[in-house]
Amino acid sequence: VAAPEIGLAELAKRILAGDRVALARGITLVESRSAAHREAAEELLALVNDRAGAALRIGITGVPGAGKSTFIEALGLQLCEDGWQVAVLSVDPSSPVTGGSILGDKTRMERLSRHPAAFIRPSPSGCELGGVARRTRETIALCEAAGFDTVLVETVGVGQSEVLVRDMVDCFLVLLIAGAGDELQGMKKGIIELADLLVVNKADGDNRARAEAARLEFTRALQYLAGKEGAWQPPVLACSAQTGEGVGAVWDTVEQFIAQARGRGDFEVRRGTQQLTWLQTQIEEGLKELMLADPAVRAEQAEVVRRVAAGSLSPTAGARRLLAKIAKK
Amino acid sequence: VAAPEIGLAELAKRILAGDRVALARGITLVESRSAAHREAAEELLALVNDRAGAALRIGITGVPGAGKSTFIEALGLQLCEDGWQVAVLSVDPSSPVTGGSILGDKTRMERLSRHPAAFIRPSPSGCELGGVARRTRETIALCEAAGFDTVLVETVGVGQSEVLVRDMVDCFLVLLIAGAGDELQGMKKGIIELADLLVVNKADGDNRARAEAARLEFTRALQYLAGKEGAWQPPVLACSAQTGEGVGAVWDTVEQFIAQARGRGDFEVRRGTQQLTWLQTQIEEGLKELMLADPAVRAEQAEVVRRVAAGSLSPTAGARRLLAKIAKK
């Protein structure tokens, strides 16, 4: 991490001026796990906090094979052509230590990565979920500081990373494809529920009719999962990321969703709630760190967990035992 | 709370001997909010912990008007007749301070409440969700200590109480009724997902055909929400709590579910996970209490929350500011 060379104030200044190299350095700093870097990262974030929240944040996930990268490239290119400054981040807690997604993303989104208005930053490798959440939120803030007005956050369709991304974006989009018969079969139930908008991709060539049938099928299935009355009912669209057909309509719908959310005040509420949830998470993490930094607690913890899981110690008594070590200070 | 009169050791002894009066006293003790009572409650729970986990714990929720009380009474009576000792608890964080559900439950489950093998304890009033979780878990433990081998935990079909109950039971049952056309319409999506078993109630008289149609409709809709391959696919049954028809089959299915879960080791894993989650929750709550007991933290907290929600302070900086007050000790 080269940040100290130029000083944090200078780094912040360059990021705010839209300097891509400085932005990349800043992101590397927030990704670092060293304690010294962490402190520097927080200082940097404080220096650029005025711009935090400036971008429209869109989360994108999809079933495997849905063509996420192709879709993000098509959407990103259209947005860039329309004058948006687009940052693409990916969240992949499952990526191997060697950093599997980096080469993949750059290769797959080759055209977008060459566009001057786009900035692509793959997921850092080897992070657990908590670390990924922190890094992604902080990277969004840095991209906003650097003047990006759209941040697309891509996540793989597995595990809890969708929930995590849903909780840091203004609109969450789920990419689907036409399957054989049981359209929603095998999909993680939770993902669909998180969607503000669903898109059946690969509606092209021979697949067009199947995609349209899938779209109707999804639309029908979603009616069974209606939310509160008056709430946004997630629409299901179809598009072809490959030909570009329908991709513009997807963005129009995103903008409709945002406009409606802003009109109702839901937009600000969602953002405010996300901020407070994140505050809460960080307080809890910080408290646990403080607790586990205590040698007396660490000595006892494994024993408590073992006995609670086995049922020989009640969770209440276990918690009390660990907390007593702290409270005595 | 009369516990101190006879001493905790004696109270524990009586509870373990199945004394209903002692059990009720113990529950009143765990429901109390006084700090002294809390300490006594934890001591009592430690004294009876050997029996913790002895009962089959069944969670029951339902859409409004699904006939939950009638169903629980019918099921409870059948279980009592079959030789089970049945405790019925209710979780209702929304109940008014005057204790709306107490009279209601006793009145509605009149026959069950008179059965010698049954014990009905309504939700205490005026608790927030966290308090309700603690009280219900601890009440389950006391009922198990008193020899009950089935605990039915009823929850109202609103808010987060289902998630809370799902996380303390071995099987979660959702009660439905035939609606007009769109069967799942208007239901909270999340509830269905939590179900291990769904039951369409009121399948009697003129309503029988509609209930059967609803059952098929729900079965079909659930196929779109399939979980992992090989996982338990929640079946949809129909019954009439009023005539008793089908209620026995519901219990048979509960037992099949439990048998399968035990066979696969899922039962123990679910219990162990629930215990560890509860340990974690209590550690976090305890840490927050310790933190908020600090006058310096309390003085700063409101300001931090206000600024984070408004966006003028980053959640990271806010958390750091509050944590710094603690770490200095």
Side-chain angles (χ1 to χ4, degrees):
Chain A
V1 176
E5 286 170 29
I6 57 168
L8 286 171
E10 176 63 20
L11 185 63
K13 208 178 120 190
R14 291 189 192 176
I15 290 174
L16 289 168
D19 178 338
R20 302 295 178 88
V21 176
L23 173 60
R25 276 189 187 180
I27 296 175
T28 304
L29 192 63
V30 304
E31 286 174 356
S32 169
R33 295 187 205 175
S34 101
H37 287 163
R38 178 94 296 262
E39 213 157 308
E42 291 188 6
E43 202 179 319
L44 176 66
L45 288 162
L47 288 169
V48 303
N49 189 53
D50 283 355
R51 289 258 194 97
L56 212 54
R57 303 157 177 175
I58 313 295
I60 300 173
T61 192
V63 295
K68 261 197 324 271
S69 293
T70 315
F71 175 80
I72 290 170
E73 177 157 53
L75 176 62
L77 282 169
Q78 284 201 12
L79 290 172
C80 288
E81 292 303 313
D82 289 349
W84 295 83
Q85 300 279 317
V86 181
V88 179
L89 313 178
S90 31
V91 167
D92 183 3
S94 63
S95 77
V97 180
T98 47
S101 66
I102 295 185
L103 190 62
D105 280 357
K106 290 264 177 190
T107 309
R108 281 178 298 163
M109 299 191 199
E110 203 193 338
R111 284 173 62 214
L112 184 60
S113 67
R114 279 190 275 108
H115 199 289
F119 176 82
I120 300 182
R121 181 80 179 196
S123 187
S125 48
C127 277
E128 19 62 275
L129 213 56
V132 168
R134 169 187 295 284
R135 170 262 176 199
T136 309
R137 284 174 184 275
E138 293 178 352
T139 302
I140 291 173
L142 291 178
C143 290
E144 289 172 337
F148 288 94
D149 48 19
T150 317
V151 180
L152 307 180
V153 186
E154 175 193 12
T155 177
V156 293
V158 293
Q160 291 196 280
S161 59
E162 281 77 19
V163 178
L164 185 150
V165 170
R166 173 65 160 76
D167 210 28
M168 56 176 84
V169 297
D170 305 313
C171 179
F172 194 68
L173 192 156
V174 176
L175 222 57
L176 307 161
I177 36 170
D182 293 340
E183 300 298 354
L184 286 171
Q185 190 80 28
M187 255 203 94
K188 285 242 159 50
K189 310 171 191 177
I191 300 180
I192 296 257
E193 290 200 354
L194 299 171
D196 297 307
L197 173 58
L198 294 105
V199 179
V200 181
N201 191 22
K202 305 196 178 176
D204 42 39
D206 293 347
N207 205 42
R208 188 187 291 264
R210 287 176 64 225
E212 178 57 22
R215 194 187 69 76
L216 293 172
E217 184 76 17
F218 279 116
T219 304
R220 185 172 184 289
L222 277 170
Q223 284 167 356
Y224 289 104
L225 294 172
K228 289 194 293 249
E229 204 175 332
W232 173 263
Q233 172 73 16
V236 188
L237 304 180
C239 80
S240 166
Q242 202 158 18
T243 68
E245 195 182 333
V247 174
V250 169
W251 186 252
D252 292 344
T253 307
V254 168
E255 290 196 318
Q256 278 165 29
F257 171 74
I258 297 290
Q260 180 177 322
R262 283 195 199 274
R264 293 180 171 179
D266 294 348
F267 185 88
E268 293 304 321
V269 168
R270 182 162 167 170
R271 282 241 172 138
T273 306
Q274 288 174 349
Q275 292 285 93
L276 290 180
T277 303
W278 185 229
L279 171 68
Q280 190 63 38
T281 303
Q282 287 186 101
I283 289 173
E284 284 165 13
E285 280 172 10
L287 286 170
K288 272 184 270 183
E289 270 169 35
L290 285 176
M291 183 167 142
L292 291 177
D294 186 309
V297 172
R298 281 226 303 280
E300 189 118 350
Q301 198 201 15
E303 165 79 358
V304 166
V305 166
R306 193 187 58 71
R307 288 192 53 202
V308 166
S312 69
L313 183 71
S314 78
T316 304
R320 185 160 273 248
R321 192 182 283 190
L322 292 178
L323 289 165
K325 302 275 173 196
I326 297 284
K328 273 177 198 144
K329 308 262 146 152
Chain B
V1 179
E5 287 169 27
I6 57 169
L8 286 171
E10 177 62 22
L11 185 63
K13 209 179 119 190
R14 291 189 193 175
I15 290 173
L16 290 167
D19 177 338
R20 301 296 177 88
V21 177
L23 173 60
R25 276 190 186 179
I27 296 174
T28 305
L29 192 62
V30 304
E31 286 174 355
S32 169
R33 295 185 205 178
S34 100
H37 288 163
R38 179 94 295 264
E39 214 157 308
E42 293 189 5
E43 203 180 317
L44 176 66
L45 288 162
L47 288 169
V48 303
N49 189 53
D50 283 355
R51 289 257 195 98
L56 214 53
R57 304 158 177 175
I58 314 295
I60 300 173
T61 192
V63 297
K68 265 200 318 275
S69 293
T70 315
F71 175 81
I72 290 171
E73 178 157 53
L75 176 62
L77 282 169
Q78 284 203 10
L79 291 172
C80 288
E81 291 303 311
D82 289 349
W84 296 82
Q85 300 279 319
V86 181
V88 178
L89 312 177
S90 35
V91 167
D92 182 3
S94 63
S95 77
V97 180
T98 48
S101 67
I102 295 185
L103 191 61
D105 279 358
K106 290 264 177 187
T107 309
R108 282 177 297 163
M109 298 191 200
E110 204 193 337
R111 284 173 62 213
L112 184 60
S113 66
R114 280 191 273 109
H115 199 288
F119 176 82
I120 300 181
R121 180 81 179 195
S123 186
S125 49
C127 278
E128 18 63 276
L129 212 56
V132 167
R134 170 188 294 283
R135 170 263 176 197
T136 309
R137 284 174 185 274
E138 293 178 352
T139 302
I140 291 174
L142 291 179
C143 290
E144 289 172 338
F148 288 94
D149 48 20
T150 318
V151 180
L152 306 180
V153 186
E154 176 193 13
T155 176
V156 294
V158 293
Q160 291 196 282
S161 59
E162 282 77 20
V163 178
L164 185 151
V165 170
R166 172 68 158 76
D167 210 29
M168 56 176 84
V169 298
D170 305 313
C171 178
F172 194 67
L173 191 156
V174 175
L175 221 57
L176 308 160
I177 37 171
D182 293 341
E183 301 298 353
L184 286 171
Q185 190 82 26
M187 256 202 93
K188 285 243 158 48
K189 310 170 191 179
I191 300 180
I192 296 256
E193 290 200 356
L194 299 171
D196 297 307
L197 172 58
L198 293 106
V199 179
V200 181
N201 191 22
K202 304 195 178 177
D204 42 39
D206 293 347
N207 204 43
R208 189 188 292 263
R210 287 176 63 224
E212 179 56 22
R215 194 187 68 77
L216 292 171
E217 185 75 18
F218 279 116
T219 305
R220 185 174 185 286
L222 278 170
Q223 284 167 357
Y224 289 105
L225 295 171
K228 289 193 293 250
E229 204 176 334
W232 173 263
Q233 172 73 14
V236 188
L237 304 180
C239 81
S240 166
Q242 202 158 16
T243 69
E245 195 183 332
V247 174
V250 169
W251 186 252
D252 291 346
T253 308
V254 168
E255 289 196 317
Q256 277 165 30
F257 171 75
I258 298 291
Q260 181 177 323
R262 282 195 198 275
R264 290 179 172 179
D266 293 347
F267 185 88
E268 292 304 321
V269 168
R270 183 162 166 170
R271 283 244 172 135
T273 306
Q274 288 173 351
Q275 291 284 94
L276 290 180
T277 304
W278 185 229
L279 171 68
Q280 189 64 37
T281 303
Q282 289 187 98
I283 289 173
E284 282 164 14
E285 279 172 10
L287 285 171
K288 274 184 270 183
E289 270 167 35
L290 284 176
M291 184 167 141
L292 291 177
D294 187 311
V297 171
R298 279 225 304 279
E300 188 119 352
Q301 197 201 17
E303 165 79 1
V304 166
V305 165
R306 194 188 56 73
R307 289 192 53 201
V308 166
S312 69
L313 183 70
S314 78
T316 305
R320 183 160 276 245
R321 192 183 283 190
L322 293 178
L323 290 165
K325 301 276 174 197
I326 297 284
K328 274 179 197 142
K329 308 265 145 152

